[in-house]
Amino acid sequence: MNVTLAVKQYISKMIESSGAGMKVLLMDKETTSIVSVVYTQSEILQKEVYLFERIDSQSRESMKHLKAICFLRPTKENVEHLIQELRRPKYSVYFIYFSNVISKSEIKALAEADEQEVVAEVQEFYGDFIAVNPHVFSLNLQGVAKGRSWDPSVLWRCTQGLTSVLLALKKCPMIRYQLSSDMSKRLAENVKQIITKEYELFDFRKTEVPPLLLILDRSDDAITPLLNQWTYQAMVHELLGINNNRIDLSRVPGISKDLREVVLSAENDEFYANNLYLNFGEIGTNIKNLMEDFQKKRPKGQQKLESISDMKAFVDNYPQFKKMSGTVSKHVTVVGELSRLVAERQLMEVSEVEQELACQNDHSSAQQNVRRLLQNPRVSEMDAVRLVALYALRYERHSASILPALMEQLTRRGVSEARRRMVQCVVEYGGKRVRGSDLITPTDAVAITKQFFKGLKGVENVYAQHQPLLHDTLDQLIKGRLKDSQFPYLGASSLRDRPQDVIVFVIGGATYEEALCVYNMNRSTPGVRIVLGGSSMLNTKSFLEEVMSSTSSGGERSQGISRYSNRH
Amino acid sequence: METSVGMLALTSPSITVAWTRTCGNLRSWEQQEVTWTCSRSSAPPGSITTSSKSISSSSDWKRTNSDAAKIRAIEKSVVPWVRDGDVPFCPDCGTKFNLRNRRHHCRLCGSIMCRKCVEFVPLPLAQKLINGTREALSFAGSRSQSQSPSGVGSRRGSVSSMSSVTSVIDDKDDEKIRCCRHCTDTLRKKQHKLDDKDFVPDIVKLYERLRMCMDKVDEKAPEYIRMAESLNAGETTYNLDTAGGLRLEVQKYYELIDALSKKILTLGVKNDPQPHPKALQLQRMVRYSATLFVQEKLLGLMSLPTKEKYEELKENRKRQQEMRLQQERLAAQEVVTRNRPAASSNGEPPLAPRAVSMTKAGGWLPSPDSSGHVRRALDDPLLQQIENIRSFLRQAREASRTDEATMLEENLRQLQDEYDRRQTDLALALSQKLAEEENERQGELRRLEAWERAENKRGSPTQQADFDHVSPDASSLAEEFPPANADGHGNLPCDEASTPVEEDPSNPFCEDIKRERMEAASEKREYNPFDEDDTQNDCVPSNPFEEEEEHDNADSGNPFAEEDERDDNMGSRNPFAECSKAGSSTNPFDCDDDDNVDLIEEELLLQQIDNIRAYIFDAKLSGRTDEVELLAENLRELQQALREHKKNEL
């Protein structure tokens, strides 16, 4: 149940089976992401792959002394490009790998194009997803829902992605889906259909307890993606944005040329791997320790490293040192930028109120705090909108709701019309009317007492009170208590035992907070292995875009917005 | 269901042929339809369903006679001829067939054409194609082959037909095969392909040699490291000279790798039509990976002790072992005395007389001679103990008490380990101290240099490039110029304490360099210790050859710099770069591909300089002056290149 390893093995197998000699890797846009997330360039160089090309690139030169390894998605365009390529081959031998099931007719078309007999191998390697972490995968799809229903092409891509994950992990699962969401039902049915159609492929050794695929809809928990995060990976994604392991730092003031864009990959970066799930304070300490270690080796360490900005200054002043510790300087820069943003946007205060909104049940204090923060000029526009959206979701049906007043306050702050509309869209997307689970007010007695005790005990960390709804859902699932009425099985059979291998897929995108939650559950419950997937990895910004594209009132305009912002 | 388990077998028009001569003038051939098999692997590799391999419609026929009529029959049996009545017009040019304009059949596909449209394949070409295809089949044998339902597909340009036709006509006058335009087209294509295969570009030749060298290094380096470790520990398992020889060999391979990859890098750069940017990129990537390889492995290559040093080490080790033995003996003595209180109470003298009493029942004591002698030399209690145990062991062996001997041996080993550990701790502490001192010095130096450089910039920018801040020692260099890999995964271990070269206090060269650098820094003048070395060694500063080299290098345009410029142009055609520019999908590769190219270039140069310096260092140590000369020249060349590069960058 390790998606990263599965993709890595596929790729190394591809490269190995082509034998010795110089090689070129031909990919399409999506497989480029798939490969680049699990392998770095220098790792691939060691395997004698010296060139990386796009199949649709026109400028490739004929190099008959190279072997071509093609890793492509089985799309029409790719097959067409490949046919053109085989008609006029630029390389000596072709090893062709499709990332998913390809049809017989397309194979035939390819075989007919292979007039010069350059194809040595055609195989299907089911790496049709982006392995974000060993237990997290994403499909990098934006704007999944269009007015609460599937775009057919997106549905097909999701089905392909999910089935390839199942094949790569060798699972033929039972499927449960969220009843309140029509989209999850459609997806579940499509996956089932593929499993039935390609039953030979899914003919794996039976395990004692069959694996389980759980399909959820983001709209059931619209709160999680609206919260500020304080663990390293989640925080970096929330504040800077992670795109295929890369982080764009070009907007950081005074950034040096070689740090404009950095790669954070747990596979190759030990510090990152160790600190991925630690919270901001711990990372600061770890970085400080690391720096002090280095500093000890230096002469005349007069200056003390008290704060993160001190550390940044320290690194800047020693170019040699900077080179010596590429990793450290990278992380110092990233953490430095995070702490700058936290200070500038007063994220500590904002986050405290967010957590209060999400977890406590005190309307009067909540509304006071939101009002207070909206008056604070240092709180960014985005954060103001997100606070109001959270309030609107949380106290949607509250008798004394001050939402109109808050909206008025937003207008006075000069928040644009488009942004103000987001609040309404969020409620429309994830409001009470839509939800199937009790996201906010627990209904059964056990949960109520639990919350009561939680209130008595007080909280350890005000910024980490929130537990995503996914935690409860999975917890109940593992204990065998998840209600069939909310999450029915597809088909007649149902699971008797407690599930062991679980694959969760969130339509509309998963968050890194949920990734952390799954990571902790995997560690704390022996015998249970959970893999989390999403149509994308969300932060607040991309979530709001997702919401705008899915709700009807957002409509066409927001689609333009999301496309625009993707480009950044 | 449509899909069959694990594979899809499909007919393809491509036909390859193998034919084998069985005996004399009897020929049999088998024809194979090579089809694609789409095998699916539903699991991470390892469980890929391999498709069945089968040979289809193999038909054998024999020929004994070359009678004309029979030939015709055979020809017809190879390929069914189209009936004359079916084709009233030439399909290619459209002229009507009549008595004058007769029909001709293509011997390869059986179709009909007029005389004007007939083409001929000369026999030598046919032979070549047949042989070539046969080779191709032996390659194809490794890939999946599967049965095709019918042997008859399109036979246009089929080599199989040709091979059977040639088999008929080889002793006739007309040494060519009559065939149609379409068949010749296909054959020509096949011929091109075969030609391509025969043609091996320079880069492939070089690359193959490069890989061979890398394999050799992979094979030899671990062996050498094992030897060097053992020798540095003062063990006598290996011979110092053999290790030295091996070191030389490995280094030769490094030099070769370096030279080869450099050659690959500059392939075709001076040609008039510049090679395709992709080709250049390929060359650069090969070079880059070779440099990474060398750097990674070379740093792990520890140095050997000098002869005197080795003697010293051996002596040390011996002493340590003795000491340990003695201590063990003491410990054993304690045990013995504790175990035998009765014996001593009996009045038996605890110290044995000169001749050691060895009764099978009793224990033994250290012989006073040896222990006394050793004690004078060793004052470390551990060593004494070791010595003791050794002597016990000897006695046990003499008394052939194997179980006790093994126990003692065990004991001895533990003690030795303990002692070794302590020694290494001591050594580590010492080396750390040294490293700290060194660091301090370097820090000062660097500050001075920085200041100096600033001065230079203000003053005369044309002064010699700032090579003086590159310390000449290989390992300290590595410390200064680690791969500036922003990803952080390429970071090499540059722990100073781990490289014996640097901190080896007995290394006179090292000290020299430091002194020189200190001088250089304190006197604030341009002073490159390596320049001096060169002049010392070749003593002919006005060597015309060298001049030429440098000159050549300078005005032919530095290849690195040129590539840089070019790279900018082609960057946009790189798919990785493309997606980064489009911004829609960024991936870790393109940063390396695109942004870091400058860095890589410079890095490559710097790495190369490091390597060369390490070689020089080594060559000097082993007194190979001719090599030093050569390398020094190389070094200067590189420095020149770097200067050019920097200038270009500015």
Side-chain angles (χ1 to χ4, degrees):
Chain A
M1 294 283 276
N2 183 335
V3 287
T4 310
L5 191 68
V7 177
K8 270 190 121 154
Q9 279 182 339
Y10 275 140
I11 291 161
S12 65
K13 176 78 190 168
M14 266 175 226
I15 298 172
E16 270 162 33
S17 59
S18 61
M22 287 181 277
K23 301 172 192 95
V24 54
L25 192 55
L26 276 175
M27 296 170 286
D28 61 41
K29 197 180 141 210
E30 277 192 72
T31 50
T32 306
S33 314
I34 292 169
V35 175
S36 70
V37 164
V38 293
Y39 271 113
T40 58
Q41 193 193 28
S42 45
E43 269 178 296
I44 290 202
L45 273 181
Q46 282 170 6
K47 298 173 189 272
E48 296 187 84
V49 176
Y50 295 108
L51 286 180
F52 309 94
E53 302 279 7
R54 286 275 288 273
I55 188 85
D56 49 357
S57 150
Q58 298 303 317
S59 70
R60 283 181 288 119
E61 196 212 14
S62 177
M63 287 199 236
K64 294 285 187 191
H65 47 282
L66 293 187
K67 293 175 176 177
I69 301 165
C70 312
F71 182 44
L72 302 168
R73 298 206 61 245
T75 60
K76 272 208 171 51
E77 302 83 63
N78 282 339
V79 171
E80 196 44 51
H81 282 304
L82 205 51
I83 285 175
Q84 296 306 324
E85 180 77 27
L86 292 181
R87 289 242 162 83
R88 250 167 258 97
K90 293 195 173 65
Y91 310 106
S92 63
V93 193
Y94 285 77
F95 296 81
I96 301 173
Y97 302 94
F98 287 105
S99 68
N100 220 318
V101 178
I102 185 159
S103 74
K104 220 172 170 180
S105 58
E106 276 166 328
I107 284 283
K108 191 158 186 241
L110 282 175
E112 274 162 10
D114 183 25
E115 284 158 2
Q116 310 201 19
E117 293 165 31
V118 286
V119 176
E121 195 166 82
V122 182
Q123 291 210 25
E124 291 171 359
F125 274 10
Y126 305 102
D128 211 6
F129 52 89
I130 285 146
V132 178
N133 285 347
H135 67 284
V136 180
F137 68 92
S138 156
L139 300 178
N140 280 9
L141 291 170
Q142 265 115 14
V144 170
K146 292 267 150 35
R148 303 224 151 267
S149 60
W150 284 103
D151 178 327
S153 67
V154 179
L155 174 61
W156 176 234
R157 177 68 188 92
C158 270
T159 314
Q160 279 186 315
L162 255 182
T163 47
S164 87
V165 169
L166 295 175
L167 285 169
L169 297 175
K170 294 205 247 182
K171 303 288 171 210
C172 180
M174 304 184 101
I175 304 175
R176 293 183 81 166
Y177 61 95
Q178 184 183 315
L179 186 67
S180 60
S181 158
D182 192 44
M183 285 173 81
S184 21
K185 191 177 180 201
R186 285 282 306 282
L187 181 60
E189 281 165 355
N190 272 25
V191 170
K192 185 87 189 168
Q193 208 181 335
I194 296 284
I195 292 177
T196 324
K197 193 174 147 204
E198 309 283 347
Y199 63 95
E200 297 108 339
L201 290 178
F202 284 90
D203 187 21
F204 301 117
R205 200 163 47 83
K206 288 273 181 295
T207 47
E208 212 171 300
V209 184
L212 190 86
L213 171 64
L214 178 64
I215 298 178
L216 304 173
D217 195 313
R218 180 79 269 163
S219 63
D220 220 28
D221 176 10
I223 285 186
T224 306
L226 283 175
L227 297 174
N228 266 308
Q229 299 299 320
W230 296 99
T231 54
Y232 197 26
Q233 193 180 27
M235 195 172 175
V236 168
H237 188 49
E238 179 66 38
L239 297 179
L240 303 170
I242 302 175
N243 189 350
N244 293 338
N245 284 351
R246 325 201 89 196
I247 291 142
D248 182 9
L249 293 177
S250 57
R251 273 169 293 178
V252 175
I255 191 78
S256 69
K257 193 183 158 210
D258 50 338
L259 283 173
R260 287 238 174 92
E261 189 172 59
V262 297
V263 177
L264 288 186
S265 158
E267 291 288 303
N268 309 297
D269 182 341
E270 206 190 340
F271 184 86
Y272 186 58
N274 292 337
N275 292 283
L276 204 56
Y277 300 115
L278 296 186
N279 69 37
F280 193 48
E282 290 166 313
I283 295 156
T285 322
N286 285 354
I287 284 206
K288 196 180 159 198
N289 288 343
L290 203 58
M291 301 284 286
E292 271 174 353
D293 254 16
F294 276 108
Q295 207 189 23
K296 265 181 213 151
K297 291 185 186 166
R298 299 211 65 86
K300 302 201 179 87
Q302 336 81 331
Q303 66 204 115
K304 282 255 172 174
L305 296 179
E306 293 296 348
S307 67
I308 284 166
S309 59
D310 278 354
M311 288 181 218
K312 260 190 81 179
F314 171 68
V315 171
D316 287 342
N317 291 338
Y318 291 91
Q320 304 291 352
F321 175 85
K322 195 155 90 182
K323 276 190 179 172
M324 211 160 91
S325 53
T327 321
V328 183
S329 72
K330 177 173 76 183
H331 286 289
V332 168
T333 314
V334 171
V335 174
E337 174 62 9
L338 291 180
S339 75
R340 186 185 73 83
L341 288 172
V342 166
E344 186 185 282
R345 288 163 55 180
Q346 301 204 322
L347 288 178
M348 299 288 238
E349 287 96 299
V350 173
S351 176
E352 200 178 331
V353 176
E354 284 172 7
Q355 296 281 333
E356 190 191 340
L357 277 169
C359 307
Q360 317 267 322
N361 205 358
D362 184 352
H363 178 252
S364 63
S365 125
Q367 56 124 325
Q368 269 172 24
N369 283 328
V370 175
R371 266 173 195 271
R372 179 171 53 82
L373 280 180
L374 286 188
Q375 275 155 7
N376 187 339
R378 286 180 62 191
V379 170
S380 74
E381 200 173 273
M382 191 65 167
D383 291 326
V385 171
R386 108 161 84 199
L387 278 170
V388 177
L390 273 171
Y391 175 87
L393 270 180
R394 179 68 180 77
Y395 298 106
E396 191 183 349
R397 304 267 165 98
H398 198 272
S399 50
S401 172
I402 55 154
L403 188 60
L406 291 177
M407 293 302 282
E408 176 59 27
Q409 235 178 328
L410 280 184
T411 323
R412 253 183 284 136
R413 270 185 69 117
V415 175
S416 67
E417 163 71 22
R419 290 229 166 141
R420 268 180 291 137
R421 215 181 41 227
M422 281 177 180
V423 175
Q424 201 47 49
C425 289
V426 167
V427 176
E428 215 171 296
Y429 180 87
K432 205 160 199 141
R433 199 168 46 82
V434 188
R435 284 198 297 265
S437 323
D438 31 319
L439 173 63
I440 289 158
T441 37
T443 42
D444 66 311
V446 182
I448 289 173
T449 37
K450 227 193 245 165
Q451 205 181 39
F452 176 71
F453 278 118
K454 222 160 120 194
L456 278 185
K457 262 192 292 182
V459 278
E460 283 170 12
N461 183 348
V462 270
Y463 306 111
Q465 304 172 53
H466 179 254
Q467 278 279 20
L469 178 69
L470 184 73
H471 179 265
D472 289 347
T473 313
L474 287 176
D475 194 48
Q476 284 170 8
L477 182 75
I478 291 166
K479 289 176 179 151
R481 283 202 215 117
L482 195 63
K483 283 183 197 135
D484 281 5
S485 56
Q486 278 176 15
F487 299 93
Y489 284 92
L490 197 71
S493 53
S494 63
L495 201 62
R496 292 257 180 91
D497 311 273
R498 293 174 177 192
Q500 288 177 346
D501 293 345
V502 181
I503 296 149
V504 192
F505 186 79
V506 187
I507 300 167
T511 66
Y512 281 109
E513 189 187 347
E514 286 160 344
L516 167 68
C517 157
V518 169
Y519 171 81
N520 286 333
M521 288 185 96
N522 277 335
R523 289 213 317 182
S524 59
T525 37
V528 174
R529 296 182 295 179
I530 306 169
V531 169
L532 172 72
S535 49
S536 62
M537 290 311 284
L538 294 175
N539 57 16
T540 303
K541 196 161 151 268
S542 57
F543 173 65
L544 287 175
E545 280 156 12
E546 186 77 37
V547 166
M548 295 303 271
S549 84
S550 92
T551 47
S552 43
S553 65
E556 294 304 302
R557 252 190 74 191
S558 66
Q559 215 179 317
I561 291 171
S562 76
R563 222 176 272 143
Y564 173 76
S565 50
N566 284 349
R567 222 164 291 146
H568 282 271
Chain B
M1 283 279 92
E2 302 176 337
T3 48
S4 54
V5 185
M7 63 160 130
L8 294 163
L10 295 156
T11 0
S12 100
S14 50
I15 296 160
T16 28
V17 150
W19 66 310
T20 42
R21 183 184 293 245
T22 42
C23 65
N25 62 349
L26 292 183
R27 281 174 201 175
S28 72
W29 57 277
E30 25 182 44
Q31 170 184 322
Q32 299 180 342
E33 310 267 326
V34 178
T35 59
W36 280 21
T37 325
C38 170
S39 64
R40 291 177 160 173
S41 85
S42 53
S47 59
I48 299 159
T49 35
T50 45
S51 49
S52 65
K53 175 185 171 183
S54 71
I55 293 161
S56 74
S57 65
S58 74
S59 58
D60 297 344
W61 54 273
K62 295 164 186 178
R63 187 178 68 95
T64 44
N65 205 332
S66 57
D67 172 22
K70 274 188 182 168
I71 286 173
R72 181 57 41 90
I74 289 165
E75 279 180 350
K76 282 188 179 178
S77 81
V78 169
V79 106
W81 282 16
V82 176
R83 269 189 299 147
D84 288 5
D86 292 351
V87 188
F89 304 99
C90 171
D92 288 340
C93 63
T95 43
K96 196 175 188 331
F97 290 124
N98 48 34
L99 271 176
R100 267 223 201 125
N101 190 18
R102 305 219 16 211
R103 292 174 174 85
H104 295 272
H105 280 92
C106 171
R107 301 293 189 269
L108 298 183
C109 67
S111 66
I112 290 176
M113 70 230 117
C114 69
R115 199 175 36 160
K116 272 182 277 175
C117 296
V118 163
E119 295 196 24
F120 293 96
V121 179
L123 205 57
L125 173 62
Q127 207 66 48
K128 189 180 151 200
L129 283 170
I130 292 165
N131 290 337
T133 325
R134 200 180 335 154
E135 276 162 28
L137 191 79
S138 60
F139 163 71
S142 65
R143 58 184 186 177
S144 320
Q145 290 169 9
S146 174
Q147 203 161 19
S148 79
S150 67
V152 197
S154 155
R155 307 215 58 177
R156 195 143 272 171
S158 153
V159 181
S160 67
S161 306
M162 191 165 62
S163 76
S164 36
V165 174
T166 31
S167 71
V168 190
I169 57 169
D170 54 359
D171 41 343
K172 269 177 66 182
D173 307 336
D174 68 317
E175 302 229 308
K176 44 198 174 183
I177 305 169
R178 183 177 303 228
C179 71
C180 67
R181 192 145 44 87
H182 310 284
C183 284
T184 37
D185 278 353
T186 320
L187 287 177
R188 210 168 290 138
K189 258 190 215 159
K190 281 193 176 136
Q191 187 196 351
H192 278 306
K193 216 185 127 196
L194 282 177
D195 289 349
D196 280 349
K197 199 182 268 167
D198 291 340
F199 172 69
V200 181
D202 290 346
I203 184 167
V204 175
K205 285 180 207 151
L206 289 170
Y207 181 75
E208 270 162 9
R209 282 172 62 198
L210 181 74
R211 289 305 297 187
M212 209 192 66
C213 292
M214 284 181 169
D215 289 346
K216 279 273 195 277
V217 167
D218 277 337
E219 184 188 315
K220 305 263 173 176
E223 201 180 327
Y224 169 75
I225 287 168
R226 212 168 41 241
M227 280 188 179
E229 268 170 3
S230 151
L231 286 172
N232 275 321
E235 285 173 4
T236 46
T237 332
Y238 300 102
N239 187 336
L240 189 62
D241 291 336
T242 19
L246 194 62
R247 183 185 170 82
L248 266 187
E249 202 183 333
V250 173
Q251 252 158 6
K252 272 269 173 349
Y253 280 121
Y254 281 131
E255 282 166 39
L256 212 56
I257 288 176
D258 190 67
L260 283 171
S261 62
K262 198 169 150 199
K263 231 185 222 166
I264 290 180
L265 181 68
T266 50
L267 262 182
V269 170
K270 285 174 189 162
N271 290 2
D272 191 24
Q274 281 283 328
H276 194 276
K278 287 288 167 197
L280 289 176
Q281 194 188 356
L282 174 73
Q283 292 170 4
R284 218 167 29 239
M285 293 315 276
V286 172
R287 165 77 173 157
Y288 180 54
S289 74
T291 323
L292 281 182
F293 178 86
V294 169
Q295 205 179 32
E296 199 174 309
K297 301 273 165 155
L298 193 69
L299 281 180
L301 220 59
M302 57 184 72
S303 67
L304 288 171
T306 56
K307 271 220 170 67
E308 300 81 53
K309 179 91 181 154
Y310 180 53
E311 288 305 318
E312 211 174 290
L313 280 168
K314 269 203 289 199
E315 200 56 39
N316 270 343
R317 190 178 163 80
K318 220 161 103 193
R319 238 180 303 149
Q320 283 169 19
Q321 281 172 343
E322 279 168 3
M323 223 181 280
R324 209 178 300 161
L325 195 79
Q326 205 164 21
Q327 262 164 1
E328 258 169 68
R329 205 186 307 182
L330 270 176
Q333 197 173 4
E334 262 172 50
V335 173
V336 167
T337 42
R338 240 181 281 136
N339 283 353
R340 296 193 314 165
S344 45
S345 66
N346 273 352
E348 208 179 298
L351 271 176
R354 213 156 270 171
V356 187
S357 67
M358 277 184 292
T359 51
K360 283 215 166 181
W364 47 79
L365 298 167
S367 55
D369 274 359
S370 59
S371 61
H373 164 74
V374 173
R375 224 163 256 148
R376 254 175 283 130
L378 315 166
D379 18 45
D380 187 331
L382 254 180
L383 287 186
Q384 288 170 6
Q385 188 53 28
I386 289 171
E387 200 45 46
N388 277 345
I389 299 269
R390 281 233 177 98
S391 106
F392 284 134
L393 192 60
R394 214 164 31 241
Q395 290 171 32
R397 284 220 187 93
E398 273 164 43
S400 65
R401 280 195 247 174
T402 44
D403 49 341
E404 246 162 296
T406 46
M407 209 182 69
L408 282 169
E409 263 165 2
E410 175 71 17
N411 207 336
L412 182 64
R413 205 165 42 243
Q414 278 169 4
L415 272 170
Q416 277 175 337
D417 286 348
E418 169 63 18
Y419 184 75
D420 279 355
R421 201 183 51 74
R422 273 213 239 160
Q423 289 300 105
T424 38
D425 282 353
L426 257 171
L428 271 179
L430 197 73
S431 67
Q432 254 161 15
K433 220 169 82 189
L434 274 170
E436 265 164 33
E437 278 171 17
E438 164 72 352
N439 246 340
E440 217 164 86
R441 248 185 289 176
Q442 281 194 355
E444 262 168 80
L445 196 64
R446 238 169 263 149
R447 234 168 297 125
L448 277 170
E449 279 161 3
W451 183 80
E452 191 184 338
R453 243 171 299 155
E455 282 284 274
N456 281 348
K457 261 182 206 159
R458 247 175 280 146
S460 52
T462 47
Q463 261 180 346
Q464 214 216 351
D466 43 0
F467 267 97
D468 46 347
H469 79 276
V470 177
S471 76
D473 191 302
S475 47
S476 61
L477 255 172
E479 176 205 340
E480 282 185 36
F481 297 104
N485 223 333
D487 301 355
H489 51 80
N491 269 352
L492 293 167
C494 38
D495 190 350
E496 292 139 289
S498 68
T499 41
V501 189
E502 185 192 6
E503 50 166 63
D504 190 352
S506 70
N507 183 346
F509 186 61
C510 191
E511 284 298 320
D512 265 353
I513 290 162
K514 281 178 200 157
R515 207 190 53 240
E516 278 172 3
R517 274 163 55 213
M518 291 304 284
E519 275 171 20
S522 56
E523 285 168 32
K524 288 178 203 114
R525 67 189 162 90
E526 296 298 328
Y527 185 84
N528 186 335
F530 267 89
D531 281 353
E532 194 206 48
D533 285 347
D534 297 341
T535 44
Q536 272 172 2
N537 285 322
D538 39 39
C539 288
V540 196
S542 59
N543 184 343
F545 178 68
E546 242 179 65
E547 283 281 316
E548 212 169 82
E549 277 264 312
E550 281 196 23
H551 182 71
D552 191 43
N553 212 336
D555 72 4
S556 75
N558 166 354
F560 293 97
E562 269 177 19
E563 269 154 27
D564 265 349
E565 288 162 25
R566 226 169 302 122
D567 193 73
D568 286 343
N569 304 336
M570 68 166 211
S572 58
R573 267 169 258 141
N574 176 338
F576 289 98
E578 247 171 24
C579 53
S580 86
K581 261 160 209 167
S584 45
S585 138
T586 46
N587 72 78
F589 294 140
D590 67 13
C591 141
D592 291 330
D593 266 14
D594 215 328
D595 311 350
N596 286 358
V597 167
D598 278 10
L599 269 180
I600 289 175
E601 286 306 327
E602 207 173 313
E603 218 177 280
L604 280 177
L605 275 170
L606 289 174
Q607 281 167 8
Q608 191 46 35
I609 290 170
D610 295 356
N611 292 343
I612 299 272
R613 287 196 184 185
Y615 297 143
I616 294 184
F617 176 67
D618 194 76
K620 265 198 192 158
L621 269 187
S622 48
R624 286 170 287 150
T625 41
D626 49 336
E627 215 168 298
V628 171
E629 238 169 82
L630 212 84
L631 285 166
E633 205 172 284
N634 201 337
L635 181 70
R636 224 165 315 144
E637 230 172 88
L638 274 165
Q639 291 181 336
Q640 174 76 21
L642 185 73
R643 242 169 282 148
E644 290 281 325
H645 184 75
K646 286 210 167 137
K647 230 179 274 169
N648 280 359
E649 255 184 11
L650 287 173

